[in-house]
């Protein structure tokens, strides 16, 4: 019972705790996720602002290049001069209306237009572009009015694969062109002249980066504990600001692609995780934990209370039992003295004083009865504590029987019940005679109490090598069939008008049967037509004749 | 009795005298800030054959008549505060910076940018009026982490642009002791940035501190933007480097110097030695950001002369040097032509050799040999590298004797020592030597004053 009780107890206590804790964790996670989302939103907004300032730099560059449109001199000499004095452009170039490159042109080698080293390098770098015709020309684009109030910019990114010019778009007057030439990107801005030629500028990319860095924030020692990084198309950092240093494998909270034409660049924001969790996270944890603890204590308190309530009855009963036990023990000693002296006197008293003799016999009989009662109680409690030990001794069964029967003879005769004792168990055997006496004593005491209307009680014994069988039969009112099983239960007394008013504890049969079973046998109630017939079997090994007591 | 005619004659004489006097004093009052001189490898060439020929355009800055008068400067100090600068290095750097700032005047502009893996503008561009505040800003420099050199320069340039002016000497001074490892860190990227700066009129001078910086990167940046480069091996050397740099900055006499060489028909410019020049067809253009007083810079061209006819002088080239004289910011133009005699006898050619120009030629060619020796070492060819140094020393020795070129002797000694004490293990000695060589190569190519 104990382990099961403990298991139930644990289940009752811990199951709700586990459920609560799980919910608490989920809640905390949800809250953290929400905060993260919020953070991310904020960071993205900030990155958007940064992107705007980058876009402004690109816009300024574009305006600067467009303002060069004011010149109508597209001669190679002029373009060469523009290139050499330009701060932001690596190389200017000119395409004719068919898309083939006019300046710088390798075909002019040997003439006045012989190329410089940087011009040659430019041609080398951009060879793919001219071969693939990646910048649209007048022939491929549908005609449109030359003046455009709102310039349509076409941002086209081509990888190393051949890119087809966008022929379905509206008339394109100018635009950015991005391509990857080995490391990171290369940027070209091109625009169409009135003649239909295309004028272009390859940007000095480090310069562009430097100009972008110039407008991005620096890092003061008191700056916010976060970090924003601008990455190029290969994922290497171009520039970063903020005092926080993210770990090697740490992922950014918010990532934003820079607007075109630098869309292969990204902005990433890193924030320490402690900042995201923040005070709110700690608060939720604290709340959850305290809630869990409070509930745990409550449940445990309740469980303990119910447990104690449940076991109260048991405790009370055992208290009572131990009280009775104590009392019985206390009674046993004086009772033993009374019996001893009474029996002694009974032997000494002669036949002459009838009153004295009868008086002593009554005293002896009653103190024996009292002894039996106390013996039963003590046995019962010892049985509860499983403390009964068998004391096997070689004895004569019939002799023991006669002893017991002798105790009851007088009182039974006084009630008009005759004892007939037929013993056929004369061989010495190994058994506990006290126990046998107690069992038979209980049975006979029951006859005395409940079978007063009986005329006789027969005690018969038989014996085999291993077992001894004794039957006690009377012709009293008997025990109804339906009560046969229940009479052996402790404290149970069949209630009818015959037994009402008779004092008894209801433990006699229970003890008798338990003792019989302890002795390797059993006590059963045989069905009988009239009266009650108890059959006792005990295990008692026959001894060789020499051990005869 | 004076007639009207007599009066007119005396007035006329007064006027003539005035004009004469003015003409005499004119050069004194309006003396050119840069003295231009064009020389060739020889006054005579052999007839009837193509030959290699050298032309040198020398620019010598004339010190300002009024020493106190100089152009106001606009300087950005870009200081590396990465972790490796911790300790003595950063303290000396701060001290050196403070020392040079003492030389500046209220109309000078100064800004201080510090970088590690992020950039912090310690002192935005401001006039040098409150020395204590400026020194305090510099003192607040503390060591940090990795190195975002590109970003540091970018922010420095941004500070310069706040007060950028034709009348000012616009300069970024970069001090770094480590490799650039955040942001664009290739020599090419820094070189291109330098190119864009010089078009704006900003020069970047680089000071490399210790043995861990990337000398190729630092010299490329300085070279493309026509700044100086110095190797400060120990923290104590930083002060000297700063002083030398500021000495130059405060002595600029000309800005935006363009040297254009138009070669005559039959003359083809092959390449430029030392200082870079853009060669397109028959024109070679070299640009200098500035010329310093009492310093001489030159542009050296290798030319190919086609066969000439004996007795007929050959036009070599016409040279135009334009610049803005400082502090007045007056535009100047100096024009020269160069011709050479065509003769039959080789001995006449030999005797007409210009030892001075040839010294410069040998100097620059030996730098190229020295660079080759370093490149061989970088490729792991130790034996060839050592041999190359040795050959260079021999080459110099021969030419020192031929042209009596005393100025080449220190360079000769450097190359001989390099060959003699050639470090065969990849250890600190080679690191130091390489940085030292780079500095020397730079100084010779750019004609830095020692």
């Amino acid at each position: 019972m104990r382990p099961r009780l403990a298991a139930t107890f644990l289940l009752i206590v811990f199951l709700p705790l586990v459920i609560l804790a799980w919910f608490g964790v989920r809640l905390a996670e949800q809250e953290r996720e929400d905060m993260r989302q919020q953070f991310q939103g904020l960071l993205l907004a900030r990155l958007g602002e940064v992107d705007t300032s980058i876009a402004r730099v690109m816009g300024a560059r574009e305006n600067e290049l467009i303002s060069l449109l004011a010149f109508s001199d597209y001669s190679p000499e002029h373009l060469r001069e523009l290139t050499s004095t330009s701060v932001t452009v690596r190389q200017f170039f000119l395409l004719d209306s068919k898309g083939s490159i006019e300046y710088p042109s390798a075909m002019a080698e040997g003439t006045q237009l012989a190329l410089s080293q940087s011009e040659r390098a430019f041609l080398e770098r951009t060879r793919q572009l001219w071969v693939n015709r990646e910048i649209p020309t007048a022939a491929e684009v549908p005609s449109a009015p030359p003046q455009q109030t709102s310039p349509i910019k076409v941002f086209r990114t081509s990888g190393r694969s051949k890119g087809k010019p966008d022929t379905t778009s509206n008339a394109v007057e100018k635009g950015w062109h991005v391509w990857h030439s080995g490391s990171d990107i290369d940027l070209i801005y091109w625009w169409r002249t009135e003649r239909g030629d295309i004028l272009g500028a390859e940007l000095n990319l480090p310069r562009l980066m430097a100009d972008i860095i110039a407008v991005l924030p620096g890092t003061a020692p008191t700056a916010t504990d976060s970090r924003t990084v601008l990455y190029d198309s290969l994922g290497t950092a171009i520039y970063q600001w903020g005092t926080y240093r993210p770990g090697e494998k740490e992922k950014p909270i918010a990532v934003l692609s820079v607007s075109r034409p630098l869309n292969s660049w990204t902005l990433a924001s890193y924030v320490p995780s402690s900042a995201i969790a923040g005070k709110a996270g700690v608060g939720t944890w604290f709340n959850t934990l305290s809630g869990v603890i409070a509930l745990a204590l409550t449940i445990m308190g309740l469980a303990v209370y119910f447990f104690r309530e449940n076991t109260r009855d048991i405790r009370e009963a055992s208290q009572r039992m131990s009280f009775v036990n104590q009392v019985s023990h206390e009674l046993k000693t004086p009772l033993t003295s009374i019996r001893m002296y009474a029996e002694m006197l009974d032997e000494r008293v002669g036949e002459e004083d009838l009153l004295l003799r009868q008086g002593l016999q009554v005293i002896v009989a009653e103190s024996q009865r009292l002894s039996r009662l106390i013996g039963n109680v003590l046995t019962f409690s010892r049985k509860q504590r499983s403390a009964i030990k068998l004391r096997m001794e070689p004895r004569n069964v019939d002799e023991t029987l006669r002893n017991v029967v002798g105790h009851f003879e007088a009182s039974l005769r006084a009630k008009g019940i005759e004892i007939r004792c037929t013993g056929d168990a004369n061989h010495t055997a190994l058994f506990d005679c006290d126990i046998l006496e107690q069992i038979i004593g209980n049975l006979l005491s029951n006859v005395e109490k409940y079978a007063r209307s009986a005329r006789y009680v027969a005690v018969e014994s038989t014996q085999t090598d291993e077992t001894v069988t004794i039957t006690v039969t009377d012709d009293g009112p008997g025990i109804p069939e339906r009560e046969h099983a229940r009479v052996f239960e402790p404290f149970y007394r069949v209630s009818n008008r015959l037994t009402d008013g008779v004092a008894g504890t209801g433990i006699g049969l229970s003890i008798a049967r338990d003792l019989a079973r302890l002795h390797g046998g059993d006590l059963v109630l045989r069905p009988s037509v009239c009266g009650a017939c108890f059959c006792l079997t005990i295990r008692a090994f026959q001894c060789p004749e020499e051990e005869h007591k | 009795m004076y007639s009207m005619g007599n009066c007119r004659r005396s007035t006329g004489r007064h006027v003539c005298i005035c004009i004469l006097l003015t003409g005499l004093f004119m050069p004194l009052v309006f003396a050119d800030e840069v003295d231009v001189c064009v020389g060739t490898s020889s006054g005579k060439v052999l007839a009837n054959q193509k030959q290699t020929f050298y032309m040198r355009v020398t620019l010598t800055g004339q010190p300002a008549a009024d020493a106190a008068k100089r152009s106001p400067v606009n300087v950005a100090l870009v200081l590396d505060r990465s972790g490796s600068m911790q300790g003595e290095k950063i303290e000396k750097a701060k001290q050196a910076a403070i020392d040079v700032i003492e030389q500046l005047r209220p109309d000078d502009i100064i800004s201080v940018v510090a970088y590690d893996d992020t950039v912090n503008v310690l002192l935005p561009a401001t006039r040098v009026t409150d020395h204590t505040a400026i020194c305090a800003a510099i003192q607040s420099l503390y060591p940090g982490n990795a190195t975002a050199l590109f970003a540091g320069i970018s922010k420095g340039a941004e500070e310069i642009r706040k007060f950028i002016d034709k009348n000012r000497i616009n300069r970024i001074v970069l001090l770094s002791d480590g490799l650039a490892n955040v942001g664009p860190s290739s020599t090419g990227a820094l070189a291109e940035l330098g190119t864009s700066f010089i078009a704006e009129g900003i020069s970047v001078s680089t000071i490399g501190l210790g043995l861990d910086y990337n000398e190729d990167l630092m010299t490329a940046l300085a070279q493309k933007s026509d700044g100086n480069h110095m190797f400060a091996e120990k923290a104590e050397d930083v002060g000297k480097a700063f002083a030398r740099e500021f000495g130059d900055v405060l002595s600029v006499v000309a800005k935006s110097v363009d040297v254009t060489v138009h070669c005559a028909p039959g003359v083809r410019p092959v390449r430029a030695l030392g200082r870079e020049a853009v060669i397109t067809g028959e024109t070679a253009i070299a640009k200098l950001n500035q010329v310093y007083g009492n310093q001489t810079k030159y542009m050296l061209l290798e030319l190919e002369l086609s066969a000439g006819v004996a007795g007929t002088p050959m036009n070599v080239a016409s040279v135009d040097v334009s610049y803005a004289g400082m502090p007045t910011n007056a535009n100047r133009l100096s024009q020269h032509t160069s011709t050479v005699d065509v003769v039959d006898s080789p001995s006449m050619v030999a005797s007409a050799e210009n030892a001075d120009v040839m010294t410069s030629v040998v100097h620059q060619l030996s730098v190229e040999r020295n660079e080759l020796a370093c490149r061989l070492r970088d490729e792991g060819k130790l034996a060839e590298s050592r041999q190359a140094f040795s050959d260079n020393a021999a080459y110099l020795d021969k030419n020192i004797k031929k042209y009596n070129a005393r100025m080449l002797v220190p360079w000769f000694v450097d190359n001989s020592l390099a060959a003699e004490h050639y470090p065969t293990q990849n250890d600190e000695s080679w690191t130091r030597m390489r940085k030292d060589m780079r500095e020397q190569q730079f100084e010779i190519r750019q004609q830095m004053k020692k």
Side-chain angles (χ1 to χ4, degrees):
Chain A
M1 188 57 189
R2 272 284 141 91
R4 234 183 61 188
L5 198 65
T8 318
F9 174 70
L10 282 170
L11 196 69
I12 294 172
V13 170
F14 283 114
L15 195 64
L17 285 184
V18 163
I19 292 171
L20 187 74
W22 184 69
F23 271 118
V25 165
R26 283 289 305 272
L27 189 72
E29 266 180 23
Q30 185 64 33
E31 215 181 278
R32 220 193 344 220
E33 188 57 36
D34 286 341
M35 279 223 74
R36 200 173 200 276
Q37 296 256 4
Q38 228 179 8
F39 236 83
Q40 201 172 33
L42 270 167
L43 288 174
L44 272 173
R46 244 195 296 170
L47 288 182
E49 282 169 25
V50 173
D51 183 35
T52 311
S53 36
I54 294 177
R56 233 179 276 134
V57 172
M58 291 308 293
R61 192 109 315 159
E62 193 179 345
N63 288 337
E64 177 202 329
L65 292 171
I66 288 170
S67 71
L68 289 170
L69 255 176
F71 289 103
S72 50
D73 180 5
Y74 303 132
S75 65
E77 291 82 18
H78 183 64
L79 289 177
R80 190 173 269 158
E81 203 200 307
L82 275 180
T83 306
S84 67
T85 52
S86 173
V87 170
T88 54
V89 174
R90 232 182 238 160
Q91 182 70 50
F92 282 97
F93 63 89
L94 182 70
L95 306 177
D96 67 17
S97 42
K98 293 191 204 63
S100 48
I101 184 149
E102 240 179 60
Y103 165 78
S105 172
M107 294 193 291
E109 194 76 68
T111 69
Q112 272 286 82
L113 303 164
L115 296 176
S116 72
Q117 202 176 28
S118 58
E119 284 165 347
R120 248 174 264 135
F122 167 77
L123 283 178
E124 198 49 47
R125 257 195 323 272
T126 55
R127 202 159 20 137
Q128 282 292 94
L129 286 181
W130 318 130
V131 166
N132 297 337
R133 306 278 227 94
E134 285 174 19
I135 294 177
T137 58
E140 287 150 345
V141 175
S143 58
Q147 295 100 336
Q148 291 253 225
T149 44
S150 56
I152 300 165
K153 300 187 197 102
V154 174
F155 307 110
R156 216 167 306 116
T157 316
S158 64
R160 289 194 176 250
S161 57
K162 298 189 169 102
K164 283 208 74 164
D166 186 9
T167 52
T168 56
S169 63
N170 292 329
V172 281
E173 293 293 337
K174 47 192 171 239
W176 291 103
H177 184 86
V178 185
W179 87 100
H180 300 263
S181 62
S183 66
D184 202 18
I185 54 170
D186 237 331
L187 261 178
I188 277 181
Y189 191 71
W190 60 269
W191 63 95
R192 193 184 308 286
T193 67
E194 294 97 28
R195 292 196 318 236
D197 303 333
I198 293 190
L199 198 55
E202 187 198 9
L203 290 193
N204 179 336
L205 204 73
R207 177 53 188 238
L208 179 67
M209 286 184 183
D211 287 340
I212 288 175
I213 290 173
V215 303
L216 293 178
T219 308
T222 52
T224 49
D225 192 19
S226 70
R227 172 156 291 186
T228 315
V229 186
L230 173 63
Y231 289 105
D232 68 9
S233 54
L234 300 171
T236 4
I238 295 173
Y239 181 62
Q240 57 195 11
W241 66 99
T243 49
Y244 172 62
R245 277 188 191 99
E248 275 250 11
K249 298 266 166 69
E250 194 169 323
K251 290 219 159 56
I253 307 295
V255 175
L256 182 70
S257 271
V258 179
S259 13
R260 290 170 163 232
L262 296 172
N263 48 318
S264 57
W265 288 3
T266 47
L267 284 163
S269 249
Y270 296 87
V271 176
S273 45
S274 55
I276 305 171
K279 291 196 201 100
V282 172
T284 313
W285 269 116
F286 183 69
N287 283 341
T288 312
L289 210 61
S290 55
V292 166
I293 289 172
L295 191 66
L297 289 173
T298 312
I299 290 178
M300 275 205 279
L302 279 171
V304 166
Y305 174 72
F306 281 125
F307 182 70
R308 280 181 70 81
E309 283 297 311
N310 257 359
T311 54
R312 186 198 295 275
D313 290 342
I314 298 170
R315 265 185 286 113
E316 277 180 3
S318 82
Q319 265 177 347
R320 251 182 263 130
M321 268 309 295
S322 81
F323 172 69
V324 166
N325 212 25
Q326 298 285 87
V327 167
S328 302
H329 259 296
E330 299 267 330
L331 293 173
K332 197 173 171 187
T333 322
L335 189 61
T336 314
S337 305
I338 293 171
R339 261 186 74 177
M340 200 173 73
Y341 281 105
E343 278 163 11
M344 201 171 69
L345 288 171
D346 186 43
E347 277 166 24
R348 286 190 69 174
V349 146
E351 291 284 337
E352 314 87 32
D353 201 332
L354 268 165
L355 187 60
L356 194 59
R357 187 156 185 128
Q358 195 174 350
L360 282 171
Q361 277 176 351
V362 166
I363 290 170
V364 167
E366 290 305 300
S367 46
Q368 276 172 353
R369 199 155 78 91
L370 209 49
S371 256
R372 274 197 303 278
L373 182 61
I374 290 171
N376 268 353
V377 171
L378 288 175
T379 306
F380 187 76
S381 93
R382 257 185 282 140
K383 177 175 73 84
Q384 292 293 85
R385 291 183 279 116
S386 313
I388 302 175
K389 283 206 182 66
L390 289 176
R391 251 186 27 231
M392 309 292 256
E393 274 180 14
R395 290 281 163 94
N396 190 305
V397 175
D398 276 351
E399 222 178 285
T400 313
L401 277 177
R402 276 197 292 276
N403 216 12
V404 175
V405 166
H407 288 161
F408 282 91
E409 238 184 318
S411 59
L412 280 173
R413 200 171 294 125
K415 290 189 171 79
I417 305 172
E418 193 192 327
I419 295 188
R420 298 179 199 149
C421 192
T422 49
D424 196 20
N426 242 327
H427 298 283
T428 317
L430 214 60
F431 66 96
D432 190 335
C433 65
D434 289 326
I435 283 179
L436 186 59
E437 275 189 27
Q438 198 171 2
I439 296 172
I440 304 298
N442 279 350
L443 291 173
L444 291 176
S445 158
N446 279 356
V447 169
E448 196 186 4
K449 276 191 282 193
Y450 307 117
R452 258 190 281 243
S453 58
R455 280 185 304 236
Y456 72 90
V457 56
V459 178
E460 291 149 15
S461 66
T462 55
Q463 184 180 30
T464 67
D465 279 342
E466 285 183 11
T467 33
V468 169
T469 312
I470 302 165
T471 51
V472 175
T473 324
D474 69 74
D475 64 343
I479 299 170
E481 191 81 40
R482 65 180 179 282
E483 307 277 7
H484 272 210
R486 293 204 72 187
V487 289
F488 288 104
E489 285 173 23
F491 310 115
Y492 185 75
R493 297 178 66 217
V494 177
S495 168
N496 55 36
R497 52 189 174 77
L498 285 176
T499 58
D500 285 351
V502 177
T505 54
I507 57 175
L509 279 178
S510 155
I511 284 174
R513 186 168 73 166
D514 285 344
L515 286 175
R517 282 184 177 159
L518 191 69
H519 211 294
D522 202 2
L523 177 66
V524 296
L525 186 58
R526 282 227 197 99
S528 58
V529 175
C530 79
C533 177
F534 284 90
C535 179
L536 167 73
T537 45
I538 56 168
R539 183 175 293 217
F541 288 97
Q542 267 192 35
C543 294
E545 280 299 322
E546 297 88 67
E547 303 292 324
H548 190 356
K549 175 180 165 245
Chain B
M1 180 71 177
Y2 288 97
S3 67
M4 274 311 261
N6 271 359
C7 282
R8 238 179 270 126
R9 234 181 285 127
S10 57
T11 320
R13 225 186 312 161
H14 284 153
V15 170
C16 284
I17 292 170
C18 285
I19 292 172
L20 255 174
L21 284 172
T22 321
L24 274 174
F25 285 120
M26 194 77 94
L28 288 175
V29 174
F30 296 113
D32 272 5
E33 291 87 349
V34 179
D35 185 40
V36 180
C37 189
V38 177
T40 52
S41 46
S42 175
K44 298 182 167 60
V45 291
L46 266 181
N48 300 326
Q49 65 179 59
K50 260 190 179 178
Q51 53 215 297
T52 305
F53 198 64
Y54 294 98
M55 181 161 94
R56 187 184 72 179
V57 180
T58 319
L59 309 163
T60 311
Q62 304 302 305
D66 186 355
K69 247 198 172 69
R70 61 159 175 86
S71 297
V73 301
N74 177 8
V75 178
L77 289 179
V78 178
L79 305 173
D80 182 342
R81 61 137 194 248
S82 58
S84 46
M85 286 287 282
Q86 214 164 26
E88 202 196 9
K89 282 184 183 175
I90 206 164
E91 293 309 315
K92 289 278 190 237
K94 289 191 212 178
Q95 193 54 49
I98 290 171
D99 287 341
V100 292
I101 285 167
E102 295 298 314
Q103 300 178 46
L104 299 179
R105 298 184 202 153
D107 58 352
D108 293 325
I109 310 276
I110 184 87
S111 55
V112 182
V113 174
Y115 68 91
D116 54 358
D117 62 342
T118 55
V119 185
N120 184 14
V121 180
L122 285 181
L123 180 70
T126 178
R127 291 185 193 279
V128 184
T129 42
D130 187 356
H131 281 248
T132 19
I134 293 168
C135 294
I138 291 176
Q139 286 290 12
S140 73
L141 198 62
Y142 63 89
N145 247 277
T147 319
L149 190 144
F150 187 93
I153 300 258
S154 305
K155 288 276 182 196
E158 178 67 7
E159 293 303 312
I160 295 267
R161 264 173 235 125
K162 290 180 183 172
F163 288 94
I164 198 167
D165 199 283
K166 280 198 176 43
N167 287 322
R168 290 185 178 279
I169 312 302
N170 305 295
R171 188 76 134 222
I172 300 175
V173 181
L174 168 70
L175 173 69
S176 174
D177 80 325
L179 306 169
N181 52 21
V182 178
S185 311
S186 65
T187 308
L190 269 305
E192 250 201 294
L193 192 62
T195 316
S196 87
F197 282 157
I198 197 175
E200 270 183 300
I202 302 176
S203 286
V204 183
S205 286
T206 59
I207 302 172
L209 175 57
L211 296 177
D212 295 323
Y213 68 92
N214 182 341
E215 59 269 25
D216 295 342
L217 199 148
M218 302 273 267
T219 48
L221 178 57
Q223 192 186 330
K224 293 287 183 189
S225 65
D226 197 24
N228 291 329
H229 170 71
M230 282 151 279
F231 169 29
E233 194 182 334
K234 294 186 272 291
E236 299 90 71
D237 302 330
V238 175
K240 259 188 294 179
F242 265 73
R244 194 171 157 196
E245 173 58 23
F246 270 73
D248 279 357
V249 170
L250 300 177
S251 70
V252 170
V253 293
K255 277 180 65 174
S256 312
V257 184
D258 287 350
V259 181
T260 315
V261 176
H262 298 283
C263 292
V267 178
R268 183 175 74 87
V270 176
R271 66 193 185 108
L273 296 171
R275 194 170 298 279
E276 283 182 0
V278 175
I279 296 174
T280 40
E282 263 107 49
T283 318
I285 305 177
K287 294 191 189 217
L288 288 81
N289 208 32
Q290 66 271 307
V291 172
Y292 308 109
N294 281 331
Q295 285 191 39
T296 301
K297 312 273 181 190
Y298 58 75
M299 171 209 194
L300 189 58
L301 274 178
E302 181 183 312
L303 307 169
E304 191 191 65
L305 265 56
S306 51
V309 176
T312 318
M314 197 181 207
N315 276 337
V316 177
S318 67
V319 179
D320 294 333
V321 179
S322 71
Y323 60 89
M326 299 309 270
T328 54
N329 201 21
N331 285 328
R332 304 254 189 257
L333 180 64
S334 182
Q335 291 174 305
H336 304 256
T337 48
S338 173
T339 49
V340 72
D341 289 329
V342 186
V343 295
D344 276 322
S345 87
S347 57
M348 285 184 78
V349 170
S351 60
E353 240 186 349
N354 186 335
D356 195 24
V357 173
M358 285 314 291
T359 305
S360 301
V361 172
V362 167
H363 210 179
Q364 296 300 339
L365 288 175
S366 72
V367 163
E368 288 178 2
R369 285 161 172 259
N370 183 289
E371 282 170 356
L372 170 65
C374 291
R375 217 165 31 243
L376 285 169
R377 170 88 190 209
D378 288 341
E379 288 165 11
K381 299 175 181 155
L382 268 59
E384 287 107 321
S385 171
R386 186 186 205 149
Q387 188 59 44
F389 280 116
S390 178
D391 290 343
N392 198 16
Y395 170 76
L396 282 164
D397 188 33
K398 186 179 87 180
N399 284 295
I400 288 170
K401 293 188 175 94
K402 183 173 176 189
Y403 298 112
N404 193 25
R406 297 264 133 241
M407 69 167 297
L408 295 182
V409 171
W411 185 229
F412 159 73
V413 169
D414 282 336
N415 278 278
S416 323
L417 286 176
E420 259 178 58
H421 304 293
Y422 190 77
T424 41
Q425 261 105 30
N426 252 342
D427 57 355
E428 214 178 87
S429 335
W430 169 243
T431 316
R432 187 182 297 112
M433 186 184 283
R434 195 178 189 279
K435 286 177 167 58
D436 206 33
M437 289 294 168
R438 272 283 182 271
E439 191 194 19
Q440 301 269 46
Q441 291 156 11
F442 186 92
E443 281 178 356
I444 295 166
R445 278 181 177 275
Q446 307 291 106
Q447 298 91 49
M448 266 176 71
K449 184 180 180 179
K450 287 266 181 219

